[in-house]
């Protein structure tokens, strides 16, 4: 019932119509349509049934850390510690709800993909052309295509009049594809499989040459045509892309993997801790049930219920900050993943370039050269500059050249939107920049020879309304047009054009072609074969101005950038050089070459290759997967339908907000609202600093947990009175695991962290360095708190003053510890005392709460405290501040041990590690990175 694209392209259209039992003059009858639909179904895409909302919400509780917290809550209830159970449950609900809401907003890519298929189309049935629903089409239907239509299914054309179809969303090529009805040579109508197509998706090595096939979802730019439907629904090339997207699952982010590992380590720690306490309890002769109660309670307390909330809050804050920097992030964990990106695979058209063909250079027949600035199909900010010097003679020559391009033209630009060929639109805008707006009104068009891939030229016969002179205006390929030129224009008179002059013109055009320009030759004459050469116009899809600087910074930050485009090699290499990509010998490969290598060979190729041309969607997907198999964290940028599968598979899919299709934006994890490639830099900086802040919180949380567990465990196991009563312990959990800890996730971006290479995702959050830092801080706090407790209870009796002094000492120690945990490497003076004012507001609130507990009578009764004197506070502040001073000393010694100058730590202008580089996927590390001990972050 179906005919594959390659099979149909390799046969005469009459044979294809016969195979499908159709009739180009009458179409199918309704009974045939119904019979075929029962076999092939509707021309639409089937989707897997989505889970109900309640099931999606419960799915949030499968995360290992959430499961661990659920177990902790259950144990707390069993131990009758309801307060702990309530706190843990609230934390779980908050995290699960935020993640659930975020998920509901992200999975709409398939819906947007379906919108690329038109709702209606013009179809011939039972001898009459009427409008039908596109979903009702079946193989064998005869469809009519006109300018502005979207193709409703894969169609084998049997009539094409100046038909050009925009396939850029599939192929990435800016120029519309010319269509004809001729058989494609070299295919011979071989059926290549169940789908009947070996070529894969449009943009592959063969489908780009299937000039007699119009693909579903593409856009008719010019002309009109008729064809027979050969594939519908998921059998179409568009359907294959849809299925690929359905089959691909987005990988788990590095942060999610790190959280999974942390949950496992916490589980092991909890069981290990229970075992140690059991052994010590048995050694002390404590009853088994009491040992069990103590051990389980402490193990539950060791699990940081605040961690999921801090992570969620930090990621939400990162999303908000990135939105202010024109990057819209759709997934919470996506934000941090950006800081791990090691390779960015960038599309060319619309990402590195503007996707707006623009005339940038012209040369008249008298060798007057001009450059044109401004980009796109509006000329409000564009103008023409004479590089060889302005004169009236040069002005007249340029006027004649651009007038020729404007009249030999079928394009229109309305409100900045092009209707017609991009090359012709560029010529129109170039004429406007020169002040020519209505040249076509001076002429009457008498005849036209349309552009074709065979002739590579277009000609129009016109009559001048004033002089009555009739002449042909011609534009096309340089070699083709020059072959018909016998003279060149010099002033008002034509002069003979010698072979040497033609060679010079060709050399000039070839040189511009190597620079990435598409050079158009223009001429005029009495006949199409007797022409006078007028000049050349160079047209290009210009690179984005900010890309060059952004690439330099990415390279310095240790991020590789690879161009992956469906365009030709010459264009791809020219753009790569223009934007400053690091091209190496043998680093340019085609989609054809990728088809000839296996996965292991591809992995080796990717080590050095950074430009891939003539690639199809399946090639982009293979490249992303091969990079990921090498341990790379891949960011993929794109703006077209052909990018969506790779966008979904990549660790970070990045779409263009202005020029990107709705499909690519829904499939991506991040959208650049300003289409600015440099915005990726801001996103990467944010991602690195988010993980840095989470690590700082973990350091604070772990050190606090060690102190609390040690104080209670030591006093219980060795028969000492408890230094804190239950209500004081509860308050410490609330106020110290609360605002001060949360605000560590709000630390502003650290420029030094932002310039480091991508972090090693194989390393856990809890590194040996972090454990060392925690143990140093915890030891100081434990010794100081026990010193106060021991000093206060010299009489052997625990009084309200004793517990108040101990409680206040512990809280003050944690406040100073929170200040030191703002950075694992930098002094608080480097960071700035008030740069994170959220933290100091939280500390002020904590201090206010502490003073209330100590001085408010009702709270004194609840928490069993009593008022302290001023001398007591001075003593406690002096003692508690030692944890900050020890931390500052440790940071200073770390820098000295790394060979740094400690005085640089106080010089805030000593910023940046721009010497960092990444070659071949391995992170380079500068002396400064080691100096600050950040290679483990």
């Amino acid at each position: 019932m179906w005919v594959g694209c390659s099979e149909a392209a390799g046969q005469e259209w009459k044979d294809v119509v016969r195979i499908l039992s159709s009739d180009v003059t009458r179409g199918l009858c309704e009974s045939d349509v119904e019979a075929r639909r029962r076999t092939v179904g509707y021309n639409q895409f089937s989707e897997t049934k989505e889970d109900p909302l309640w099931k999606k919400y419960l799915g949030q509780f499968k995360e290992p850390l959430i499961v661990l917290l659920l177990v902790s809550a259950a144990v707390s209830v069993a131990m009758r510690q309801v307060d702990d159970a309530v706190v843990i449950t609230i934390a779980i609900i908050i995290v699960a709800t935020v993640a659930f809401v975020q998920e509901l907003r992200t999975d709409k890519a398939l819906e947007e993909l379906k919108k690329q298929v038109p709702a209606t189309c013009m179809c011939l049935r039972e001898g009459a052309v009427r409008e039908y629903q596109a979903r009702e089409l079946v193989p064998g239907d005869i469809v009519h295509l006109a300018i502005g239509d979207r193709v409703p299914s894969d169609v084998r054309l049997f009539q094409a009049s100046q038909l050009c179809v925009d396939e850029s969303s599939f192929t990435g090529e800016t120029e519309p594809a010319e269509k004809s009805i001729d058989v494609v040579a070299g295919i011979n109508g071989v059926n290549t499989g169940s789908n009947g197509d070996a070529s894969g998706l449009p943009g592959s090595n063969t489908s780009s040459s299937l000039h007699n096939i119009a693909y579903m979802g593409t856009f008719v730019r010019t002309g009109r045509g008729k064809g027979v439907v050969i594939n519908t629904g998921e059998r179409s090339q568009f359907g294959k892309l849809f299925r690929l997207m359905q089959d691909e699952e987005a990988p788990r982010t590095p942060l999610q993997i790190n959280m999974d590992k942390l949950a496992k380590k916490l589980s092991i720690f909890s069981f290990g801790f229970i075992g140690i306490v059991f052994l010590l309890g048995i050694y002390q002769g404590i009853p088994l049930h009491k040992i069990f109660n103590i051990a389980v309670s402490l193990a539950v307390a060791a699990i940081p219920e605040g961690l999921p909330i801090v992570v969620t809050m930090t990621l939400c804050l990162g999303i908000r900050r990135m939105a202010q920097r024109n990057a819209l992030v759709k997934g919470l964990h996506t934000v941090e993943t950006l800081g791990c990106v090691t390779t960015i695979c960038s599309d060319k058209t619309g990402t590195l370039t503007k996707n707006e063909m623009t005339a940038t250079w012209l040369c008249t027949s008298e060798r007057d050269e001009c450059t044109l600035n401004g980009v796109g199909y509006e000329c409000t900010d564009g103008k023409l500059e004479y590089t060889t010097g302005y004169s009236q003679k040069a002005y007249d020559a340029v006027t004649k050249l651009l007038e020729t391009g404007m009249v030999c033209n079928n394009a229109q630009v309305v409100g900045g939107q092009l209707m017609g060929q991009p090359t012709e639109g560029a010529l129109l805008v170039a004429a406007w920049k020169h002040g020519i707006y209505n040249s076509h009104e001076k002429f009457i068009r008498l005849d036209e020879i349309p552009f074709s891939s065979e002739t590579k030229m277009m000609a129009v016969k016109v009559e001048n309304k004033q002089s009555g002179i009739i002449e042909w205006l011609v534009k096309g390929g340089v070699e083709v047009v020059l072959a018909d030129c016998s003279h060149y224009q010099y002033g008002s008179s034509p002069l003979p054009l010698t072979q040497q002059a033609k060679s010079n013109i060709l050399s000039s055009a070839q040189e511009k072609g190597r620079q990435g320009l598409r050079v158009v030759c223009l001429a005029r004459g009495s006949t199409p074969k007797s022409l006078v050469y007028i000049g050349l116009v160079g047209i290009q899809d210009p690179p984005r101005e900010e890309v060059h600087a952004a690439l330099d910074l990415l390279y310095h930050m240790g991020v590789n950038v690879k161009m992956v485009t469906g365009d030709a090699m010459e264009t791809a290499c020219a753009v790569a050089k223009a934007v400053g990509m690091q091209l190496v010998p043998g680093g340019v490969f085609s989609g054809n070459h990728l088809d000839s290598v296996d996965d292991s060979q591809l992995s080796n190729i990717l080590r050095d290759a950074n430009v891939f041309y003539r690639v199809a969607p399946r090639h982009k997907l293979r490249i992303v997967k091969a990079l990921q198999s090498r341990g790379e964290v891949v960011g993929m940028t794109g703006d077209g339908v052909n990018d969506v599968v790779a966008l979904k598979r990549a660790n970070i899919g990045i779409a263009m907000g202005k020029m990107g299709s709705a499909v690519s934006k829904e499939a991506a994890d991040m959208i650049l609202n300003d289409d600015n490639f440099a915005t990726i830099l801001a996103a990467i900086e944010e991602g690195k600093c988010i993980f840095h802040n989470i690590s700082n919180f973990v350091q604070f949380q772990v050190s606090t947990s060690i102190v609390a567990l040690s104080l209670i465990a030591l006093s219980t196991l060795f028969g000492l009175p408890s230094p804190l009563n239950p209500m004081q312990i509860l308050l410490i959990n609330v106020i110290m695991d609360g605002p001060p800890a949360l605000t560590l996730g709000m630390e502003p971006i650290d420029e030094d962290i932002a310039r480091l290479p991508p972090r090693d995702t194989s390393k856990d959050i809890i590194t040996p360095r972090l454990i060392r830092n925690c143990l140093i801080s915890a030891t100081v706090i434990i010794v100081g708190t026990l010193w106060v407790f021991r000093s206060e209870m010299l009489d052997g009796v625990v009084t309200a003053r004793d517990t108040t002094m101990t409680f206040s000492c512990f809280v003050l120690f944690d406040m100073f510890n929170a200040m030191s945990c703002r950075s694992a490497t930098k002094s608080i003076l480097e960071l700035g005392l008030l740069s994170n004012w959220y933290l100091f507001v939280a500390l002020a609130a904590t201090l206010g709460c502490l003073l209330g507990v100590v001085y408010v009578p009702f709270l004194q009764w609840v928490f069993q405290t009593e008022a302290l004197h001023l001398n007591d506070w001075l003593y406690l502040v002096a003692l508690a501040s030692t944890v900050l001073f020890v931390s500052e000393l440790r940071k200073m010694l770390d820098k000295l041990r790394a060979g740094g100058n400690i005085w640089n730590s106080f010089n805030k202008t000593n910023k940046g590690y721009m010497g960092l580089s990444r070659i071949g996927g391995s992170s380079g590390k500068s002396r400064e990175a080691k100096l600050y001990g950040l290679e483990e972050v």
Side-chain angles (χ1 to χ4, degrees), residues 269-292:
F269 171 77
S270 297
F271 285 112
F273 192 81
I274 291 174
I276 293 172
V277 172
F278 251 102
L279 292 176
L280 291 174
I282 293 173
Y283 177 76
Q284 292 291 330
I286 301 175
L288 287 178
H289 72 277
K290 187 174 182 181
I291 299 175
F292 180 78

Side-chain angles (χ1 to χ4, degrees), residues 712-737:
I712 299 171
L714 289 173
S715 61
T716 302
L717 293 175
F718 294 103
L720 300 174
S722 176
L724 302 171
N725 63 52
M727 291 305 297
Q728 290 171 348
I729 294 173
L730 175 62
L731 185 61
I732 288 173
N733 284 334
V734 172
I735 67 173
M736 292 316 299
D737 286 348

Side-chain angles (χ1 to χ4, degrees), residues 389-446:
Y390 173 82
S391 67
Q392 185 61 45
K393 186 178 179 182
Y395 178 88
D396 293 340
V398 170
T399 301
K400 193 175 187 69
L401 172 65
L402 293 177
E403 180 186 72
T404 303
M406 189 176 200
V407 177
C408 185
N409 199 311
N410 288 323
Q412 295 183 9
V413 178
V414 180
Q417 296 296 317
L418 172 67
M419 298 297 293
Q421 292 277 12
T423 299
E424 294 188 340
L427 290 172
L428 274 183
V429 175
W432 294 343
K433 290 176 182 177
H434 189 55
I436 304 173
Y437 296 100
N438 57 357
S439 287
H440 59 281
E441 296 179 0
K442 295 166 50 179
F443 300 91
I444 301 173
R445 182 175 290 199
L446 304 176

